Amino acid sequence: MNQPKLDLSPKVSDEVRKTTCYMCACRCGINVHLKQGKVAYIEGNRDHPVNQGVLCAKGSAGIMQHNAPSRLRAPLKRVGPRGSGEFEEISWDEAYDIATGWLGPIRDTNPEKLAFFTGRDQSQSFTSFWAQAFGTPNYAAHGGFCSVNMAAAGIYTMGGAFWEFGQPDWDHTKLFMLFGVAEDHDSNPIKMGIGKIKGRGARVIGVNPIRTGYNAVADDWVGITPGTDGLFILSLIHCLMKAGKIDLHYLAQYTDAPVLVNGDEKSPDFGLYLRDEDGKQLVIDRVTRKLTPYDQPGVKPDLSATHRARGVTHRPVFHMMAEMYLSEDYAPEAVAARCGIPANRIRAIASELARVAFDEAFELDHTWTDFRGETHDKMIGRPVSFHAMRGISAHANGFQTCRALHVLQIILGTVEVPGGFRFKPPYPKPATAHPKPHTGMTPGGPLNGPHLGFVHGPDDLALKDDGTPARIDKAFTWENPMSAHGLMHMVISNAHAGDPYKIDTLFMYMANMSWNSSMNTGGVMEMLTDTDENGDYVIPHIIYSDAYSSEMVAYADLILPDTTYLERHDCISLLDRPICEADAAADAIRWPVVEPDRNVKGFQSALCDLGAKLGLPGFVNDDGSQKYADYADYIVNHERRPGIGPLAGWRMGEEGLQHGRGGPNEGQLDNYIKNGGFFAAHIPDGANYYKPWNRGYQEWAVNMGLYDSPQPYLFSLYVEPLRKFQLAAEGHGERQPPEHLRDRIKATMSPLPIWYETDQQGNDGYTINALTQRPMAMYHSWGSQNAWLRQLHGHNPLYLPTRLMRQHDLADGDWARVSSPHGEITVPVMEMAALNENTVWTWNAIGKRKGAWALDKDAPEATRGFLLNHLIHELLPPKGDGLRWANSDPITGQAAWFDLKVKIEKTAAPGEAKPEFPPLKSPVPEAPENLAWKVGK
């Protein structure tokens, strides 16, 4: 018989180029297969330390992102009214002339008139360097939207947090507990880790109002009431302390639990650490019974001893913890109703944490020497680990909730030990090792230091001489003193209100503020287009950079078109957002595996050009010529300090190539490309645990350039800077808060973690919690215009628990009107049983505005897709005092997205989801009806 001849092993590609994925923040390694010079296939790189060959749907669909019809094609100048989408294509030279024409005069006279804020660009050490050179204090990235509570709470408490700061010890963990983690966060590493631990029988406990993703595979799902995680965690702490199931040795040796605190309520130092002349925290040595600095050789700090001097009794932090957390206010019976978790279940979880941490403890035969000089021949493993993200962070009590979770880890002795949570280099770094925020401006000159940082008391606030905020977002003020990532969600609102002052130019990158990156979508669109009594725009100039025709493009005056991630250089740097795992320091690059076929330029390279044309220090040579030809040139030749640059691998030393420290190497990028796009340096055995206190690790970190000198420190169960703000609110010190904020500062800025109700002023009648989260197959807004990923999530319903479906006589496919104090939406609903009974939720960023992203006007994303953003506001409802109260955490200023309360009413099915906005006119044409990219034969 004649059989057909089939090619059972077709040639996938002519060439494979290895680079780093950009389809989420995991930054996995990918192999990009090219055929006839075009992208044919993307797979995971098995040699890469992050994903080890695993690649998710987003990563594979990078082909569609690269070929998206919505890609911008050239620089654009607005020729119609803002919001009309009417542009004309211009040259890069003209675009630069326009930009410098706006930016040059304000830099020479008043640099703060530029507000430069970036989204998920993954190059924040570079963009902040540019903003600092420009001289404006108004710079930050997206962290104030989603993660500053987690990051700041972690750094102030223990020198790092979850996600990019650390990871569970997947090889030894026996109990893994995660809080509020959506499916897109740390996607591949967590999936791999959960698979590994479940394969050997370890348990997973998921705490989340919504049971999807990681929670769907958890052995135990805790459907908590949103915003009460901190109360639940403090109840676990109560149970553990009451049962004596805490690691006293760990607390005494490695934390501030034995550090003495001033107990005189009449003293201006009440609540502050007792320190020696060098500023070191003091403890009582259990052996000598003498007062001594915590770090002296042979010291065994005492958790129980007090010290009385000059009529003042100083108590250890541990006393204060016992006094606070043994209170029956935190007993499971006292918190169960608010958390939505039965008291016996809270006790059972606490018991399980204790059982695994202590009854299943183990030892590793690793010799190591601690910072006091004591050598240990073993490492004690406590196989309980935690992970958390935005779900517990995006509340107005999120900072203290995140702090509570870190304290829970610490009292169990599970941080930086085998089986527990482990830091990723360059972390851990205590808050004192980070810079403080700077706002010193000089017309025509650079800012006097980094914009962002960690304050340690009122003296570090970013205030002008008259006490008004120095920054447009009011970061580092009495309203949100410890806002380490800035408040991107407040920039447009404050600029429009002229509070604290007006700006001239808003410069943004990858920040879709007129749609899903806004807490007040409709209001922000009005602010961007609003004019004054003279007919001039209230925000005079808007420059925006994006790779795609997003909703925000229509609201800008000048568009700088970015490339796709496969067409440019990027640097995933130890100075910024490293790709490290806990056993190694690692960084990576992206590089142009294909060249752009449009008149576009990587945004970072455009900043190099703009920096040179503006004559910014660091971007021009002594003769005024451009210092960096493009971003690749910057990556290789920039030094943040002598011997330390954006990349740690293959630097030039006196005897040739070396890693960590060294001078620029012109072949550095080629070395990375040959190695698969990444570099990794493994921590020596015996130095890879107990990092904050391990001499071996500290010395290795200095050699790698992570620190300039060893920096051992104690974990801060008690965050003294918080107490300094309370003292100011109590009337101590020269720098005082406004009267209307005194009570809030005293109530919320407790140095030991607390829980408090979020501000529900104006929410009468709105009793249902409403949340949004990103699906595993999407990330930000990019994925929902991707031809492959749209097939997974073409539109989104509002998911309701069974109780609310029955209460409102709803069935799958019915429509409901959902309202908040701020607005209303009309959307399709679906029932979901695995959901907190008083919570509704939907996928984030699926809904699109007609005319954007080159989608068809009747695309399901625009007709059935929707955003909860229309119900949220960046301000709380008015309190009647004439003040503008931000809908943010009062300590860090993080946007309180998840404090949203709504009510639901059944309604007839409309033609389309509401609200419905007029279609945007797009600078790119609609995509063809059928999309196909077949490369080669």
Side-chain angles (χ1 to χ4, degrees), residues 630-649:
D630 53 23
Y631 190 43
D633 190 3
Y634 169 91
I635 292 171
V636 170
N637 291 302
H638 174 72
E639 289 184 277
R640 191 54 55 96
R641 60 186 192 275
I644 304 297
L647 293 173

Side-chain angles (χ1 to χ4, degrees), residues 334-369:
V335 308
R338 281 174 290 177
C339 296
I341 307 170
N344 60 353
R345 197 172 187 200
I346 297 174
R347 293 187 184 279
I349 292 171
S351 177
E352 182 67 1
L353 290 171
R355 185 190 68 78
V356 177
F358 298 106
D359 295 352
E360 298 196 28
F362 61 98
E363 296 179 345
L364 294 182
D365 291 325
H366 288 319
T367 300
W368 67 287
T369 301

Side-chain angles (χ1 to χ4, degrees), residues 231 235 327-339 343 346-347:
L231 192 58
S235 188
S327 165
E328 290 304 305
D329 290 345
Y330 293 114
E333 291 75 14
V335 308
R338 281 174 290 177
C339 296
I346 297 174
R347 293 187 184 279

Side-chain angles (χ1 to χ4, degrees), residues 23-329:
M23 297 297 286
C24 81
C26 286
R27 302 174 296 274
C28 297
I30 54 175
N31 299 335
V32 181
H33 290 257
L34 303 179
K35 188 178 284 188
Q36 299 176 6
K38 296 183 178 180
V39 180
Y41 176 60
I42 298 176
E43 65 179 351
N45 178 358
R46 295 188 179 187
D47 298 322
H48 199 275
V50 171
N51 58 315
Q52 301 167 35
V54 174
L55 198 63
C56 69
K58 298 187 295 292
S60 298
I63 297 174
M64 299 295 112
Q65 208 72 14
H66 169 67
N67 291 311
S70 59
R71 292 174 301 167
L72 298 172
R73 302 174 180 189
L76 300 169
K77 177 176 69 174
R78 179 177 58 80
V79 294
R82 264 195 211 152
S84 68
E86 296 176 8
F87 292 93
E88 68 176 31
E89 292 189 359
I90 57 176
S91 68
W92 277 98
D93 284 341
E94 184 176 353
Y96 288 150
D97 286 344
I98 294 171
T100 55
W102 295 339
L103 297 174
I106 60 176
R107 180 171 187 267
D108 290 340
T109 57
N110 195 346
E112 71 180 10
K113 293 289 187 180
L114 168 65
F116 179 49
F117 285 75
T118 63
R120 295 181 177 272
D121 59 301
Q122 302 183 13
S123 60
Q124 289 159 25
S125 75
F126 173 72
T127 50
S128 64
F129 178 71
W130 190 93
Q132 187 178 336
F134 185 91
T136 179
N138 293 318
Y139 164 81
H142 74 284
F145 270 149
C146 71
S147 62
V148 67
N149 275 335
M150 183 59 67
I155 287 176
Y156 277 108
T157 307
M158 58 183 191
F162 301 115
W163 186 197
E164 293 165 329
F165 299 89
Q167 65 177 151
D169 186 358
W170 298 116
D171 292 330
H172 298 103
T173 285
K174 296 181 181 179
L175 177 60
F176 177 48
M177 191 171 185
L178 71 166
F179 288 76
V181 182
E183 299 163 36
D184 66 311
H185 274 117
D186 208 5
S187 177
N188 284 340
I190 283 193
K191 286 185 290 186
M192 294 159 59
I194 289 177
K196 180 182 286 188
I197 65 173
K198 286 181 77 72
R200 62 170 189 271
R203 285 191 66 209
V204 177
I205 301 176
V207 183
N208 197 315
I210 305 162
R211 189 168 197 181
T212 60
Y214 313 124
N215 293 280
V217 299
D219 300 282
D220 193 3
W221 171 61
V222 181
I224 195 167
T225 299
T228 66
D229 302 80
L231 192 58
F232 168 55
I233 294 164
L234 293 175
S235 188
L236 294 175
I237 291 172
H238 168 91
C239 293
L240 292 167
M241 292 187 72
K242 198 165 187 179
K245 294 295 187 179
I246 56 179
D247 192 331
L248 295 175
H249 173 78
Y250 185 97
L251 289 170
Q253 294 296 108
Y254 308 127
T255 81
D256 67 352
V259 172
L260 297 165
V261 175
N262 184 311
D264 182 1
E265 294 184 7
K266 297 179 181 178
S267 169
D269 295 328
F270 174 49
L272 301 184
Y273 290 140
L274 184 62
R275 299 176 183 269
D276 68 7
E277 293 178 354
D278 296 324
K280 289 185 178 180
Q281 299 139 304
L282 295 173
V283 300
I284 298 293
D285 184 2
R286 195 155 34 87
V287 178
T288 67
R289 312 307 300 166
K290 292 182 179 179
L291 193 66
T292 181
Y294 74 93
D295 62 348
Q296 296 304 294
V299 167
K300 304 291 185 186
D302 195 325
L303 290 171
S304 61
T306 61
H307 175 74
R308 187 164 179 82
R310 298 176 182 175
V312 176
T313 298
H314 298 82
R315 298 189 300 155
V317 167
F318 191 62
H319 277 204
M320 303 167 73
M321 291 179 64
E323 189 175 87
M324 177 177 286
Y325 300 129
L326 290 178
S327 165
E328 290 304 305
D329 290 345

Side-chain angles (χ1 to χ4, degrees), residues 537-872:
Y537 287 116
V538 174
I539 301 175
H541 304 116
I542 300 176
I543 306 172
Y544 184 56
S545 180
D546 204 323
Y548 306 101
S549 180
S550 67
E551 286 88 354
M552 184 62 191
V553 166
Y555 291 88
D557 306 312
L558 177 66
I559 302 295
L560 306 179
D562 194 17
T563 64
T564 72
Y565 72 105
L566 297 178
E567 300 170 319
R568 65 160 179 262
H569 283 97
D570 272 327
C571 177
I572 302 96
S573 171
L574 288 165
L575 301 177
D576 192 7
R577 306 179 64 161
I579 62 161
C580 305
E581 296 302 294
D583 285 319
D587 55 21
I589 65 165
R590 297 185 188 93
W591 58 287
V593 297
V594 289
E595 293 296 324
D597 59 359
R598 309 165 314 288
N599 188 21
V600 297
K601 184 175 292 193
F603 177 65
Q604 294 85 353
S605 290
L607 284 185
C608 289
D609 294 343
L610 270 178
K613 291 180 181 298
L614 290 165
L616 303 188
F619 288 87
V620 291
N621 298 307
D622 292 341
D623 63 1
S625 60
Q626 184 162 338
K627 186 169 186 176
Y628 303 115
D630 53 23
Y631 190 43
D633 190 3
Y634 169 91
I635 292 171
V636 170
N637 291 302
H638 174 72
E639 289 184 277
R640 191 54 55 96
R641 60 186 192 275
I644 304 297
L647 293 173
W650 296 282
R651 303 192 68 79
M652 190 60 68
E654 292 182 2
E655 299 180 2
L657 294 179
Q658 62 188 38
H659 301 312
R661 297 177 183 271
N665 163 26
E666 292 304 318
Q668 188 179 39
L669 294 181
D670 291 334
N671 293 122
Y672 272 80
I673 291 169
K674 290 175 184 176
N675 197 55
F678 69 92
F679 158 77
H682 288 271
I683 301 169
D685 287 344
N688 51 349
Y689 291 99
Y690 296 95
K691 293 186 182 82
W693 320 291
N694 189 325
R695 280 190 177 178
Y697 175 79
Q698 294 286 322
E699 291 167 0
W700 176 85
V702 171
N703 290 333
M704 280 298 300
L706 306 183
Y707 318 141
D708 286 335
S709 62
Q711 304 205 9
Y713 62 95
L714 298 177
F715 284 169
S716 297
L717 300 163
Y718 185 93
V719 173
E720 189 184 41
L722 289 164
R723 179 59 195 148
K724 290 181 179 179
F725 284 105
Q726 283 187 323
L727 277 172
E730 292 164 8
H732 298 285
E734 293 184 6
R735 184 170 265 188
Q736 291 285 295
E739 287 301 319
H740 70 278
L741 291 174
R742 286 188 189 275
D743 288 343
R744 188 175 81 167
I745 290 168
K746 287 186 281 188
T748 62
M749 298 191 74
S750 167
L752 288 173
I754 58 172
W755 182 85
Y756 50 86
E757 290 278 7
T758 57
D759 191 340
Q760 298 304 318
Q761 174 79 25
N763 266 327
D764 294 342
Y766 301 92
T767 59
I768 300 168
N769 307 295
L771 305 177
T772 179
Q773 69 177 32
R774 280 190 295 273
M776 196 171 283
M778 300 288 185
Y779 185 71
H780 214 242
S781 344
W782 318 323
S784 48
Q785 51 109 23
N786 183 298
W788 287 357
L789 300 180
R790 290 181 66 216
Q791 297 176 64
L792 302 178
H793 298 283
H795 59 88
N796 54 312
L798 184 71
Y799 292 99
L800 273 66
T802 300
R803 182 183 74 83
L804 292 179
M805 290 289 283
R806 301 294 179 271
Q807 179 180 326
H808 295 281
D809 190 29
L810 290 164
D812 285 356
D814 284 347
W815 289 67
R817 182 183 300 110
V818 186
S819 56
S820 74
H822 173 61
E824 68 177 45
I825 57 177
T826 304
V827 298
V829 300
M830 287 190 70
E831 182 175 346
M832 180 176 173
L835 179 59
N836 176 274
E837 67 171 12
N838 197 47
T839 300
V840 299
W841 76 280
T842 192
W843 299 119
N844 180 36
I846 301 300
K848 292 284 177 279
R849 184 166 171 185
K850 291 184 179 182
W853 301 99
L855 295 176
D856 181 86
K857 62 180 176 62
D858 294 321
E861 289 86 350
T863 57
R864 293 177 63 84
F866 62 92
L867 303 176
L868 283 188
N869 303 59
H870 302 301
L871 304 179
I872 310 173

Side-chain angles (χ1 to χ4, degrees), residues 472-485:
I472 188 66
D473 59 357
K474 300 186 182 180
F476 310 110
T477 65
W478 293 106
E479 292 188 31
N480 19 253
M482 301 166 86
S483 42
H485 289 177

